[in-house]
Amino acid sequence: VPELPDVEVFRRRVARSSLKQDVAEVSVHDPRMLHEVSEHDLRGFLRGRAMTATHRHGKHLLIDVEGGGVLGLHFGMTGYPVTGTGRPPEGQHVRVVIGLAGARWLALVDQRRLGRVAVAETRADHVSREALGPDALTLSVPELREAVGGARGQLKTTLTDQSRVAGLGNIYADEVLFHAGLDPRGATRDLSDHDHGRLHRQLRRVLELAIARRADPDRLPRGWLLPHREEGRRCPKGRGVVTGYRAGGRRGYWCPTCQGGGADSY
Ligand SMILES: [Zn+2]
């Protein structure tokens, strides 16, 4: 499932290959991917204009379009952008293809089709329509405190709520909490100022390193939780045991020894 680091890698891929060339054609193979925009309007919005810059907010990729307006891409559970030159890709999972001048193209591939293509007047409009909280990579400590303050639920649930902090999903929320030494099942409202600081530091560190390694699980450090997400594995930090838990309907992993769990967690 694409989370913030994956989408940042997607953003760079699009920025390298798809900007500053006029859109020649827009092929929508699956209109169900379009979110509050018709195929006709999407084509009218893009055709004859160039995409000029890329941005990311949480798990959303936002592309400025010449003359005003923003194309918003969300990748759902299985989506990703593919770029190339020549014959555009075919296949049942290719949902939208944006053909560019000079035979280049940008395609959105999405097996489970939970991603979305949207159009907004400005980036701020898109962020507000999607009700996104501040971006997890760039928020400040006070913004983090403000974003999670007042949340009633468990820490893991709060951190993966895109309306509070945008960008974290199941995997990276567990990873950040593991390095911050915080119990994912703990009540968010019990976080101290010190905890907010630790959480912020690890949020930044984990996401930056994951981006630097291109969000490739095989290139992430062995000392991370990610390669050890399995009940009963030895904790990569030491004496603890990796343990499963459930939060918000998702299965997560943590180390009760490193993350301050009481004796009841064994
Ligand atoms: Zn541990």
Side-chain angles (χ1 to χ4, degrees):
V1 176
E3 299 188 26
L4 188 153
D6 308 277
V7 178
E8 179 61 22
V9 171
F10 297 166
R11 184 190 72 74
R12 293 175 184 189
R13 182 181 307 160
V14 171
R16 270 197 310 271
S17 66
S18 306
L19 301 182
K20 305 196 166 73
Q21 304 148 81
D22 284 354
V23 172
E25 188 48 272
V26 179
S27 307
V28 178
H29 301 312
D30 193 331
R32 285 170 293 189
M33 294 288 294
L34 305 187
H35 184 65
E36 294 178 5
V37 62
S38 68
E39 189 174 341
H40 176 267
D41 287 352
L42 179 68
R43 188 170 288 123
F45 170 61
L46 288 174
R47 200 150 60 178
R49 302 160 82 192
M51 298 183 279
T52 54
T54 58
H55 312 270
R56 185 193 48 70
H57 190 104
K59 305 179 196 175
H60 292 249
L61 171 56
L62 300 168
I63 306 174
D64 294 343
V65 176
E66 185 183 20
V70 172
L71 180 67
L73 302 179
H74 185 264
F75 301 93
M77 302 282 285
T78 54
Y80 57 95
V82 183
T83 62
T85 310
R87 247 175 95 80
E90 290 170 10
Q92 56 174 335
H93 301 144
V94 178
R95 308 298 177 183
V96 177
V97 180
I98 299 174
L100 304 168
R104 297 196 70 82
W105 46 260
L106 164 63
L108 183 57
V109 180
D110 191 346
Q111 183 186 350
R112 290 188 57 187
R113 218 177 45 218
L114 294 169
R116 293 193 296 279
V117 177
V119 171
E121 283 194 29
T122 65
R123 274 180 273 151
D125 286 347
H126 182 87
V127 166
S128 129
R129 193 170 63 193
E130 295 281 340
L132 301 177
D135 178 63
L137 182 61
T138 53
L139 49 57
S140 63
V141 177
E143 282 169 339
L144 175 64
R145 195 183 303 125
E146 165 86 23
V148 304
R152 291 177 174 281
Q154 296 181 327
L155 193 45
K156 166 74 169 286
T157 313
T158 304
L159 286 182
T160 52
D161 177 349
Q162 302 303 299
S163 71
R164 293 199 176 269
V165 176
L168 296 178
N170 196 34
I171 302 283
Y172 283 101
D174 276 352
E175 194 67 49
V176 168
L177 291 169
F178 175 67
H179 295 287
L182 294 168
D183 183 343
R185 310 159 315 160
T188 305
R189 63 165 174 263
D190 291 345
L191 288 183
S192 64
D193 279 353
H194 180 70
D195 293 335
H196 285 123
R198 268 198 307 185
L199 184 58
H200 181 266
R201 213 157 36 245
Q202 294 305 328
L203 195 56
R204 186 67 59 94
R205 193 182 72 86
V206 165
L207 294 175
E208 281 180 350
L209 186 56
I211 291 166
R213 306 276 171 96
R214 298 183 189 189
D216 178 352
D218 295 334
R219 298 182 62 208
L220 295 175
R222 297 298 301 166
W224 280 22
L225 179 63
L226 199 143
H228 309 276
R229 292 175 67 86
E230 197 182 311
E231 184 77 40
R233 292 275 294 265
R234 259 249 319 260
C235 167
K237 279 194 202 295
R239 295 164 295 115
V241 175
V242 174
T243 304
Y245 69 97
R246 293 198 76 83
R250 302 289 308 274
R251 182 146 185 89
Y253 292 91
W254 73 309
C255 171
T257 304
C258 293
Q259 297 175 254
D264 63 330
S265 12
Y266 287 92

PDB file of all heavy atoms in Angstrom, residues 35-36 45 55 57 60-64 68-73 116 118-133:
ATOM      1  N   HIS A  35     -12.658  11.070  -9.829  1.00  0.00           N
ATOM      2  CA  HIS A  35     -13.336  11.494  -8.609  1.00  0.00           C
ATOM      3  C   HIS A  35     -13.910  12.894  -8.817  1.00  0.00           C
ATOM      4  O   HIS A  35     -13.173  13.871  -8.898  1.00  0.00           O
ATOM      5  CB  HIS A  35     -12.310  11.491  -7.463  1.00  0.00           C
ATOM      6  CG  HIS A  35     -12.895  11.809  -6.135  1.00  0.00           C
ATOM      7  ND1 HIS A  35     -13.815  11.011  -5.505  1.00  0.00           N
ATOM      8  CD2 HIS A  35     -12.670  12.840  -5.295  1.00  0.00           C
ATOM      9  CE1 HIS A  35     -14.132  11.533  -4.342  1.00  0.00           C
ATOM     10  NE2 HIS A  35     -13.457  12.657  -4.190  1.00  0.00           N
ATOM     11  N   GLU A  36     -15.218  12.965  -8.933  1.00  0.00           N
ATOM     12  CA  GLU A  36     -15.907  14.241  -9.081  1.00  0.00           C
ATOM     13  C   GLU A  36     -15.433  15.036 -10.294  1.00  0.00           C
ATOM     14  O   GLU A  36     -15.379  16.266 -10.269  1.00  0.00           O
ATOM     15  CB  GLU A  36     -15.788  15.074  -7.803  1.00  0.00           C
ATOM     16  CG  GLU A  36     -16.524  14.411  -6.638  1.00  0.00           C
ATOM     17  CD  GLU A  36     -16.391  15.179  -5.325  1.00  0.00           C
ATOM     18  OE1 GLU A  36     -15.812  16.282  -5.332  1.00  0.00           O
ATOM     19  OE2 GLU A  36     -16.895  14.665  -4.324  1.00  0.00           O
ATOM     20  N   PHE A  45      -9.583  19.753 -19.436  1.00  0.00           N
ATOM     21  CA  PHE A  45      -8.668  20.410 -18.510  1.00  0.00           C
ATOM     22  C   PHE A  45      -7.208  20.217 -18.922  1.00  0.00           C
ATOM     23  O   PHE A  45      -6.404  21.144 -18.850  1.00  0.00           O
ATOM     24  CB  PHE A  45      -8.908  19.836 -17.100  1.00  0.00           C
ATOM     25  CG  PHE A  45      -7.891  20.218 -16.071  1.00  0.00           C
ATOM     26  CD1 PHE A  45      -7.692  21.565 -15.733  1.00  0.00           C
ATOM     27  CD2 PHE A  45      -7.135  19.255 -15.424  1.00  0.00           C
ATOM     28  CE1 PHE A  45      -6.748  21.927 -14.766  1.00  0.00           C
ATOM     29  CE2 PHE A  45      -6.198  19.612 -14.464  1.00  0.00           C
ATOM     30  CZ  PHE A  45      -5.999  20.942 -14.135  1.00  0.00           C
ATOM     31  N   HIS A  55       3.937  18.308  -6.592  1.00  0.00           N
ATOM     32  CA  HIS A  55       3.966  18.483  -5.142  1.00  0.00           C
ATOM     33  C   HIS A  55       3.371  17.222  -4.531  1.00  0.00           C
ATOM     34  O   HIS A  55       2.697  16.451  -5.209  1.00  0.00           O
ATOM     35  CB  HIS A  55       3.120  19.685  -4.715  1.00  0.00           C
ATOM     36  CG  HIS A  55       3.385  20.916  -5.511  1.00  0.00           C
ATOM     37  ND1 HIS A  55       4.331  21.844  -5.150  1.00  0.00           N
ATOM     38  CD2 HIS A  55       2.846  21.351  -6.678  1.00  0.00           C
ATOM     39  CE1 HIS A  55       4.347  22.810  -6.061  1.00  0.00           C
ATOM     40  NE2 HIS A  55       3.466  22.538  -6.993  1.00  0.00           N
ATOM     41  N   HIS A  57       1.261  15.972  -0.902  1.00  0.00           N
ATOM     42  CA  HIS A  57       0.718  16.241   0.429  1.00  0.00           C
ATOM     43  C   HIS A  57       0.237  14.909   0.976  1.00  0.00           C
ATOM     44  O   HIS A  57      -0.694  14.317   0.432  1.00  0.00           O
ATOM     45  CB  HIS A  57      -0.430  17.254   0.368  1.00  0.00           C
ATOM     46  CG  HIS A  57      -0.847  17.729   1.731  1.00  0.00           C
ATOM     47  ND1 HIS A  57      -0.517  18.963   2.236  1.00  0.00           N
ATOM     48  CD2 HIS A  57      -1.525  17.090   2.727  1.00  0.00           C
ATOM     49  CE1 HIS A  57      -0.981  19.080   3.468  1.00  0.00           C
ATOM     50  NE2 HIS A  57      -1.604  17.965   3.789  1.00  0.00           N
ATOM     51  N   HIS A  60      -1.018  12.068  -1.325  1.00  0.00           N
ATOM     52  CA  HIS A  60      -1.563  12.622  -2.564  1.00  0.00           C
ATOM     53  C   HIS A  60      -0.464  13.276  -3.396  1.00  0.00           C
ATOM     54  O   HIS A  60       0.363  14.025  -2.870  1.00  0.00           O
ATOM     55  CB  HIS A  60      -2.633  13.674  -2.259  1.00  0.00           C
ATOM     56  CG  HIS A  60      -3.875  13.077  -1.649  1.00  0.00           C
ATOM     57  ND1 HIS A  60      -5.075  13.015  -2.309  1.00  0.00           N
ATOM     58  CD2 HIS A  60      -4.076  12.486  -0.447  1.00  0.00           C
ATOM     59  CE1 HIS A  60      -5.972  12.427  -1.532  1.00  0.00           C
ATOM     60  NE2 HIS A  60      -5.396  12.094  -0.397  1.00  0.00           N
ATOM     61  N   LEU A  61      -0.475  12.998  -4.684  1.00  0.00           N
ATOM     62  CA  LEU A  61       0.436  13.648  -5.624  1.00  0.00           C
ATOM     63  C   LEU A  61      -0.345  14.733  -6.345  1.00  0.00           C
ATOM     64  O   LEU A  61      -1.405  14.467  -6.919  1.00  0.00           O
ATOM     65  CB  LEU A  61       0.970  12.606  -6.614  1.00  0.00           C
ATOM     66  CG  LEU A  61       1.778  13.110  -7.808  1.00  0.00           C
ATOM     67  CD1 LEU A  61       2.968  13.943  -7.350  1.00  0.00           C
ATOM     68  CD2 LEU A  61       2.273  11.927  -8.635  1.00  0.00           C
ATOM     69  N   LEU A  62       0.166  15.961  -6.275  1.00  0.00           N
ATOM     70  CA  LEU A  62      -0.538  17.105  -6.856  1.00  0.00           C
ATOM     71  C   LEU A  62       0.320  17.685  -7.966  1.00  0.00           C
ATOM     72  O   LEU A  62       1.494  17.993  -7.761  1.00  0.00           O
ATOM     73  CB  LEU A  62      -0.784  18.152  -5.765  1.00  0.00           C
ATOM     74  CG  LEU A  62      -1.629  17.604  -4.600  1.00  0.00           C
ATOM     75  CD1 LEU A  62      -1.624  18.544  -3.415  1.00  0.00           C
ATOM     76  CD2 LEU A  62      -3.042  17.368  -5.068  1.00  0.00           C
ATOM     77  N   ILE A  63      -0.273  17.835  -9.137  1.00  0.00           N
ATOM     78  CA  ILE A  63       0.478  18.289 -10.299  1.00  0.00           C
ATOM     79  C   ILE A  63      -0.135  19.592 -10.808  1.00  0.00           C
ATOM     80  O   ILE A  63      -1.322  19.627 -11.166  1.00  0.00           O
ATOM     81  CB  ILE A  63       0.449  17.215 -11.411  1.00  0.00           C
ATOM     82  CG1 ILE A  63       0.940  15.863 -10.861  1.00  0.00           C
ATOM     83  CG2 ILE A  63       1.285  17.662 -12.606  1.00  0.00           C
ATOM     84  CD1 ILE A  63       0.820  14.709 -11.842  1.00  0.00           C
ATOM     85  N   ASP A  64       0.669  20.655 -10.816  1.00  0.00           N
ATOM     86  CA  ASP A  64       0.202  21.943 -11.354  1.00  0.00           C
ATOM     87  C   ASP A  64       0.074  21.827 -12.862  1.00  0.00           C
ATOM     88  O   ASP A  64       0.936  21.236 -13.525  1.00  0.00           O
ATOM     89  CB  ASP A  64       1.216  23.052 -11.057  1.00  0.00           C
ATOM     90  CG  ASP A  64       1.344  23.346  -9.575  1.00  0.00           C
ATOM     91  OD1 ASP A  64       0.447  22.939  -8.815  1.00  0.00           O
ATOM     92  OD2 ASP A  64       2.352  23.977  -9.181  1.00  0.00           O
ATOM     93  N   GLY A  68      -3.289  27.226 -14.748  1.00  0.00           N
ATOM     94  CA  GLY A  68      -4.057  27.161 -13.506  1.00  0.00           C
ATOM     95  C   GLY A  68      -4.784  25.843 -13.354  1.00  0.00           C
ATOM     96  O   GLY A  68      -5.202  25.228 -14.337  1.00  0.00           O
ATOM     97  N   GLY A  69      -4.925  25.415 -12.133  1.00  0.00           N
ATOM     98  CA  GLY A  69      -5.576  24.147 -11.848  1.00  0.00           C
ATOM     99  C   GLY A  69      -4.569  23.076 -11.475  1.00  0.00           C
ATOM    100  O   GLY A  69      -3.379  23.173 -11.805  1.00  0.00           O
ATOM    101  N   VAL A  70      -5.050  22.093 -10.773  1.00  0.00           N
ATOM    102  CA  VAL A  70      -4.200  21.051 -10.213  1.00  0.00           C
ATOM    103  C   VAL A  70      -4.831  19.689 -10.495  1.00  0.00           C
ATOM    104  O   VAL A  70      -6.040  19.507 -10.346  1.00  0.00           O
ATOM    105  CB  VAL A  70      -4.077  21.248  -8.677  1.00  0.00           C
ATOM    106  CG1 VAL A  70      -3.373  20.068  -8.025  1.00  0.00           C
ATOM    107  CG2 VAL A  70      -3.355  22.551  -8.359  1.00  0.00           C
ATOM    108  N   LEU A  71      -3.982  18.762 -10.919  1.00  0.00           N
ATOM    109  CA  LEU A  71      -4.400  17.377 -11.068  1.00  0.00           C
ATOM    110  C   LEU A  71      -4.002  16.652  -9.784  1.00  0.00           C
ATOM    111  O   LEU A  71      -2.836  16.703  -9.380  1.00  0.00           O
ATOM    112  CB  LEU A  71      -3.676  16.765 -12.271  1.00  0.00           C
ATOM    113  CG  LEU A  71      -3.982  15.305 -12.603  1.00  0.00           C
ATOM    114  CD1 LEU A  71      -5.423  15.152 -13.087  1.00  0.00           C
ATOM    115  CD2 LEU A  71      -3.001  14.784 -13.643  1.00  0.00           C
ATOM    116  N   GLY A  72      -4.951  16.004  -9.139  1.00  0.00           N
ATOM    117  CA  GLY A  72      -4.677  15.308  -7.877  1.00  0.00           C
ATOM    118  C   GLY A  72      -4.747  13.804  -8.079  1.00  0.00           C
ATOM    119  O   GLY A  72      -5.745  13.296  -8.586  1.00  0.00           O
ATOM    120  N   LEU A  73      -3.681  13.104  -7.719  1.00  0.00           N
ATOM    121  CA  LEU A  73      -3.664  11.645  -7.854  1.00  0.00           C
ATOM    122  C   LEU A  73      -3.523  11.002  -6.482  1.00  0.00           C
ATOM    123  O   LEU A  73      -2.680  11.398  -5.679  1.00  0.00           O
ATOM    124  CB  LEU A  73      -2.494  11.193  -8.735  1.00  0.00           C
ATOM    125  CG  LEU A  73      -2.423  11.757 -10.151  1.00  0.00           C
ATOM    126  CD1 LEU A  73      -1.190  11.219 -10.872  1.00  0.00           C
ATOM    127  CD2 LEU A  73      -3.686  11.412 -10.937  1.00  0.00           C
ATOM    128  N   ARG A 116      -7.589   7.416  -7.013  1.00  0.00           N
ATOM    129  CA  ARG A 116      -8.507   8.435  -7.528  1.00  0.00           C
ATOM    130  C   ARG A 116      -7.761   9.474  -8.354  1.00  0.00           C
ATOM    131  O   ARG A 116      -6.634   9.838  -8.050  1.00  0.00           O
ATOM    132  CB  ARG A 116      -9.181   9.181  -6.373  1.00  0.00           C
ATOM    133  CG  ARG A 116     -10.111   8.337  -5.550  1.00  0.00           C
ATOM    134  CD  ARG A 116     -10.967   9.215  -4.638  1.00  0.00           C
ATOM    135  NE  ARG A 116     -10.209   9.950  -3.641  1.00  0.00           N
ATOM    136  CZ  ARG A 116      -9.775   9.459  -2.504  1.00  0.00           C
ATOM    137  NH1 ARG A 116      -9.991   8.183  -2.227  1.00  0.00           N
ATOM    138  NH2 ARG A 116      -9.123  10.200  -1.649  1.00  0.00           N
ATOM    139  N   ALA A 118      -8.402  13.385  -9.549  1.00  0.00           N
ATOM    140  CA  ALA A 118      -9.289  14.515  -9.273  1.00  0.00           C
ATOM    141  C   ALA A 118      -8.699  15.790  -9.871  1.00  0.00           C
ATOM    142  O   ALA A 118      -7.512  15.853 -10.206  1.00  0.00           O
ATOM    143  CB  ALA A 118      -9.462  14.685  -7.762  1.00  0.00           C
ATOM    144  N   VAL A 119      -9.539  16.781  -9.999  1.00  0.00           N
ATOM    145  CA  VAL A 119      -9.103  18.089 -10.485  1.00  0.00           C
ATOM    146  C   VAL A 119      -9.527  19.126  -9.453  1.00  0.00           C
ATOM    147  O   VAL A 119     -10.636  19.048  -8.915  1.00  0.00           O
ATOM    148  CB  VAL A 119      -9.753  18.402 -11.854  1.00  0.00           C
ATOM    149  CG1 VAL A 119      -9.497  19.842 -12.261  1.00  0.00           C
ATOM    150  CG2 VAL A 119      -9.224  17.444 -12.919  1.00  0.00           C
ATOM    151  N   ALA A 120      -8.630  20.065  -9.144  1.00  0.00           N
ATOM    152  CA  ALA A 120      -8.973  21.126  -8.200  1.00  0.00           C
ATOM    153  C   ALA A 120      -8.434  22.439  -8.737  1.00  0.00           C
ATOM    154  O   ALA A 120      -7.543  22.458  -9.588  1.00  0.00           O
ATOM    155  CB  ALA A 120      -8.366  20.824  -6.827  1.00  0.00           C
ATOM    156  N   GLU A 121      -8.983  23.521  -8.223  1.00  0.00           N
ATOM    157  CA  GLU A 121      -8.480  24.826  -8.667  1.00  0.00           C
ATOM    158  C   GLU A 121      -7.098  25.105  -8.116  1.00  0.00           C
ATOM    159  O   GLU A 121      -6.235  25.635  -8.812  1.00  0.00           O
ATOM    160  CB  GLU A 121      -9.457  25.924  -8.239  1.00  0.00           C
ATOM    161  CG  GLU A 121     -10.687  25.976  -9.115  1.00  0.00           C
ATOM    162  CD  GLU A 121     -11.484  27.255  -8.903  1.00  0.00           C
ATOM    163  OE1 GLU A 121     -10.877  28.285  -8.543  1.00  0.00           O
ATOM    164  OE2 GLU A 121     -12.712  27.198  -9.091  1.00  0.00           O
ATOM    165  N   THR A 122      -6.906  24.767  -6.853  1.00  0.00           N
ATOM    166  CA  THR A 122      -5.603  24.999  -6.223  1.00  0.00           C
ATOM    167  C   THR A 122      -5.257  23.784  -5.363  1.00  0.00           C
ATOM    168  O   THR A 122      -6.129  22.963  -5.047  1.00  0.00           O
ATOM    169  CB  THR A 122      -5.633  26.222  -5.286  1.00  0.00           C
ATOM    170  OG1 THR A 122      -6.523  25.930  -4.199  1.00  0.00           O
ATOM    171  CG2 THR A 122      -6.096  27.476  -6.005  1.00  0.00           C
ATOM    172  N   ARG A 123      -3.994  23.707  -4.957  1.00  0.00           N
ATOM    173  CA  ARG A 123      -3.581  22.634  -4.062  1.00  0.00           C
ATOM    174  C   ARG A 123      -4.341  22.703  -2.744  1.00  0.00           C
ATOM    175  O   ARG A 123      -4.769  21.696  -2.206  1.00  0.00           O
ATOM    176  CB  ARG A 123      -2.079  22.745  -3.778  1.00  0.00           C
ATOM    177  CG  ARG A 123      -1.240  22.046  -4.816  1.00  0.00           C
ATOM    178  CD  ARG A 123       0.215  22.199  -4.469  1.00  0.00           C
ATOM    179  NE  ARG A 123       0.757  23.425  -5.023  1.00  0.00           N
ATOM    180  CZ  ARG A 123       1.761  24.111  -4.495  1.00  0.00           C
ATOM    181  NH1 ARG A 123       2.351  23.697  -3.410  1.00  0.00           N
ATOM    182  NH2 ARG A 123       2.196  25.208  -5.076  1.00  0.00           N
ATOM    183  N   ALA A 124      -4.489  23.920  -2.255  1.00  0.00           N
ATOM    184  CA  ALA A 124      -5.204  24.096  -0.978  1.00  0.00           C
ATOM    185  C   ALA A 124      -6.636  23.576  -1.088  1.00  0.00           C
ATOM    186  O   ALA A 124      -7.166  22.979  -0.147  1.00  0.00           O
ATOM    187  CB  ALA A 124      -5.186  25.561  -0.563  1.00  0.00           C
ATOM    188  N   ASP A 125      -7.269  23.794  -2.244  1.00  0.00           N
ATOM    189  CA  ASP A 125      -8.631  23.288  -2.442  1.00  0.00           C
ATOM    190  C   ASP A 125      -8.662  21.764  -2.376  1.00  0.00           C
ATOM    191  O   ASP A 125      -9.570  21.169  -1.801  1.00  0.00           O
ATOM    192  CB  ASP A 125      -9.181  23.718  -3.816  1.00  0.00           C
ATOM    193  CG  ASP A 125      -9.561  25.187  -3.842  1.00  0.00           C
ATOM    194  OD1 ASP A 125      -9.629  25.801  -2.760  1.00  0.00           O
ATOM    195  OD2 ASP A 125      -9.783  25.713  -4.953  1.00  0.00           O
ATOM    196  N   HIS A 126      -7.681  21.143  -2.995  1.00  0.00           N
ATOM    197  CA  HIS A 126      -7.633  19.679  -2.985  1.00  0.00           C
ATOM    198  C   HIS A 126      -7.447  19.169  -1.552  1.00  0.00           C
ATOM    199  O   HIS A 126      -8.149  18.260  -1.112  1.00  0.00           O
ATOM    200  CB  HIS A 126      -6.499  19.177  -3.879  1.00  0.00           C
ATOM    201  CG  HIS A 126      -6.423  17.672  -3.942  1.00  0.00           C
ATOM    202  ND1 HIS A 126      -7.151  16.929  -4.846  1.00  0.00           N
ATOM    203  CD2 HIS A 126      -5.738  16.773  -3.192  1.00  0.00           C
ATOM    204  CE1 HIS A 126      -6.906  15.640  -4.649  1.00  0.00           C
ATOM    205  NE2 HIS A 126      -6.046  15.521  -3.660  1.00  0.00           N
ATOM    206  N   VAL A 127      -6.499  19.771  -0.850  1.00  0.00           N
ATOM    207  CA  VAL A 127      -6.203  19.347   0.525  1.00  0.00           C
ATOM    208  C   VAL A 127      -7.443  19.518   1.404  1.00  0.00           C
ATOM    209  O   VAL A 127      -7.769  18.661   2.227  1.00  0.00           O
ATOM    210  CB  VAL A 127      -5.002  20.154   1.081  1.00  0.00           C
ATOM    211  CG1 VAL A 127      -4.867  19.995   2.582  1.00  0.00           C
ATOM    212  CG2 VAL A 127      -3.721  19.723   0.366  1.00  0.00           C
ATOM    213  N   SER A 128      -8.154  20.605   1.180  1.00  0.00           N
ATOM    214  CA  SER A 128      -9.325  20.855   2.011  1.00  0.00           C
ATOM    215  C   SER A 128     -10.493  19.947   1.624  1.00  0.00           C
ATOM    216  O   SER A 128     -11.189  19.426   2.477  1.00  0.00           O
ATOM    217  CB  SER A 128      -9.652  22.356   1.947  1.00  0.00           C
ATOM    218  OG  SER A 128     -10.977  22.574   1.627  1.00  0.00           O
ATOM    219  N   ARG A 129     -10.666  19.692   0.332  1.00  0.00           N
ATOM    220  CA  ARG A 129     -11.743  18.792  -0.080  1.00  0.00           C
ATOM    221  C   ARG A 129     -11.505  17.365   0.423  1.00  0.00           C
ATOM    222  O   ARG A 129     -12.440  16.649   0.771  1.00  0.00           O
ATOM    223  CB  ARG A 129     -11.868  18.794  -1.600  1.00  0.00           C
ATOM    224  CG  ARG A 129     -13.141  18.133  -2.091  1.00  0.00           C
ATOM    225  CD  ARG A 129     -13.348  18.355  -3.568  1.00  0.00           C
ATOM    226  NE  ARG A 129     -12.276  17.743  -4.333  1.00  0.00           N
ATOM    227  CZ  ARG A 129     -12.060  17.979  -5.622  1.00  0.00           C
ATOM    228  NH1 ARG A 129     -12.810  18.842  -6.272  1.00  0.00           N
ATOM    229  NH2 ARG A 129     -11.079  17.380  -6.259  1.00  0.00           N
ATOM    230  N   GLU A 130     -10.219  16.969   0.462  1.00  0.00           N
ATOM    231  CA  GLU A 130      -9.887  15.633   0.960  1.00  0.00           C
ATOM    232  C   GLU A 130      -9.771  15.617   2.477  1.00  0.00           C
ATOM    233  O   GLU A 130      -9.481  14.576   3.069  1.00  0.00           O
ATOM    234  CB  GLU A 130      -8.564  15.156   0.341  1.00  0.00           C
ATOM    235  CG  GLU A 130      -8.625  14.962  -1.173  1.00  0.00           C
ATOM    236  CD  GLU A 130      -9.298  13.651  -1.565  1.00  0.00           C
ATOM    237  OE1 GLU A 130      -9.376  12.743  -0.717  1.00  0.00           O
ATOM    238  OE2 GLU A 130      -9.760  13.551  -2.718  1.00  0.00           O
ATOM    239  N   ALA A 131      -9.944  16.774   3.097  1.00  0.00           N
ATOM    240  CA  ALA A 131      -9.881  16.900   4.562  1.00  0.00           C
ATOM    241  C   ALA A 131      -8.578  16.344   5.128  1.00  0.00           C
ATOM    242  O   ALA A 131      -8.577  15.575   6.091  1.00  0.00           O
ATOM    243  CB  ALA A 131     -11.092  16.223   5.201  1.00  0.00           C
ATOM    244  N   LEU A 132      -7.466  16.740   4.501  1.00  0.00           N
ATOM    245  CA  LEU A 132      -6.168  16.221   4.942  1.00  0.00           C
ATOM    246  C   LEU A 132      -5.567  17.098   6.039  1.00  0.00           C
ATOM    247  O   LEU A 132      -5.634  18.323   5.975  1.00  0.00           O
ATOM    248  CB  LEU A 132      -5.191  16.183   3.761  1.00  0.00           C
ATOM    249  CG  LEU A 132      -5.605  15.335   2.567  1.00  0.00           C
ATOM    250  CD1 LEU A 132      -4.582  15.459   1.448  1.00  0.00           C
ATOM    251  CD2 LEU A 132      -5.775  13.880   2.982  1.00  0.00           C
ATOM    252  N   GLY A 133      -4.962  16.455   7.016  1.00  0.00           N
ATOM    253  CA  GLY A 133      -4.192  17.161   8.028  1.00  0.00           C
ATOM    254  C   GLY A 133      -2.857  17.592   7.432  1.00  0.00           C
ATOM    255  O   GLY A 133      -2.599  17.385   6.246  1.00  0.00           O
TER     256      GLY A 133
END
